[in-house]
Amino acid sequence: MKRVPWPLLILALAPPLALADDYTGMLAYLDVARIDGRALAGASGAIAVNQAAGDLNQQANLRGLARGGRADVAISAQQLQRGNRVLSAPLQAHADIGGDALAGASGIASINQASGIANTTLNVVSATLARQGIRETDDSALAAEGSALAGGRDDAGRGVATGTRSVGVASTALRGFDGVLQLNQIAGSGNDTANVLGLVVQDRP
């Protein structure tokens, strides 16, 4: 039996390891966030989805409900990031909802989809049933809630945009949905989006 010298064994192992490293590096440049099939089809009630592909993304779905003579709802959110650095953004970033996802669902559905780096998405729903009458929320209050997550982030991920970025919802998805639907879709870097809904309804005396 012929013995194989030790240096030859090392050379034989080198190519597969290098191939694995190349594959890992390739995946770092492809970010896909997708809801597909019959995910959440026919669901009812309070539905919340946070889906992120990439780095340093912040997401939140917040709800507040109150009932009473002087009922009120206040929602506040703050997330902080400091000292983060990303060398390069993904070349391909996609956020999609396809198939029959959420078809026939009902209630309150809040969805955040982000693909990329350092994106912020926020959904807020507040509802108050009170005897103090219907009140109007001014623009400054809505802006304060919508920007709550955007204030505590550095410039990580705000590099030069290259490659392909896309978001989309298939015609079959969300078909027949009944209720309140909030959807944030981002493909890219350094984006801030928010959906804020506030309801105040007068209760019976």
Side-chain angles (χ1 to χ4, degrees):
M1 179 177 180
K2 185 177 179 181
R3 299 183 62 184
V4 179
W6 176 251
L8 292 180
L9 290 176
I10 296 177
L11 291 176
L13 291 175
L17 292 178
L19 197 61
D21 291 340
D22 292 341
Y23 183 70
T24 302
M26 183 179 65
L27 289 180
Y29 293 93
L30 179 62
D31 285 344
V32 178
R34 184 169 181 82
I35 302 173
D36 207 343
R38 290 189 52 80
L40 299 172
S44 62
I47 304 168
V49 178
N50 289 320
Q51 190 178 53
D55 299 308
L56 310 178
N57 295 294
Q58 300 174 342
Q59 299 176 321
N61 290 313
L62 308 177
R63 287 87 177 267
L65 305 174
R67 177 179 178 180
R70 301 293 295 177
D72 196 11
V73 173
I75 298 177
S76 177
Q78 186 71 40
Q79 293 186 3
L80 302 176
Q81 290 189 12
R82 287 291 184 268
N84 296 308
R85 292 294 178 266
V86 177
L87 297 179
S88 60
L91 294 179
Q92 309 294 331
H94 306 282
D96 302 295
I97 300 178
D100 295 320
L102 285 102
S106 62
I108 301 176
S110 302
I111 303 172
N112 290 314
Q113 272 191 316
S115 175
I117 297 174
N119 298 296
T120 300
T121 55
L122 172 67
N123 289 314
V124 175
V125 176
S126 64
T128 304
L129 184 62
R131 295 179 182 175
Q132 51 190 349
I134 299 177
R135 302 186 304 277
E136 181 179 354
T137 302
D138 56 24
D139 292 339
S140 60
L142 292 176
E145 288 185 315
S147 62
L149 288 177
R153 186 181 61 213
D154 52 26
D155 290 332
R158 295 181 184 270
V160 178
T162 58
T164 302
R165 287 151 174 76
S166 67
V167 299
V169 179
S171 60
T172 53
L174 305 172
R175 180 175 293 178
F177 180 86
D178 185 18
V180 176
L181 174 64
Q182 297 177 308
L183 174 60
N184 291 311
Q185 283 186 309
I186 291 178
S189 301
N191 299 287
D192 299 318
T193 63
N195 293 306
V196 179
L197 173 64
L199 298 174
V200 180
V201 182
Q202 184 176 11
D203 195 7
R204 291 174 295 180

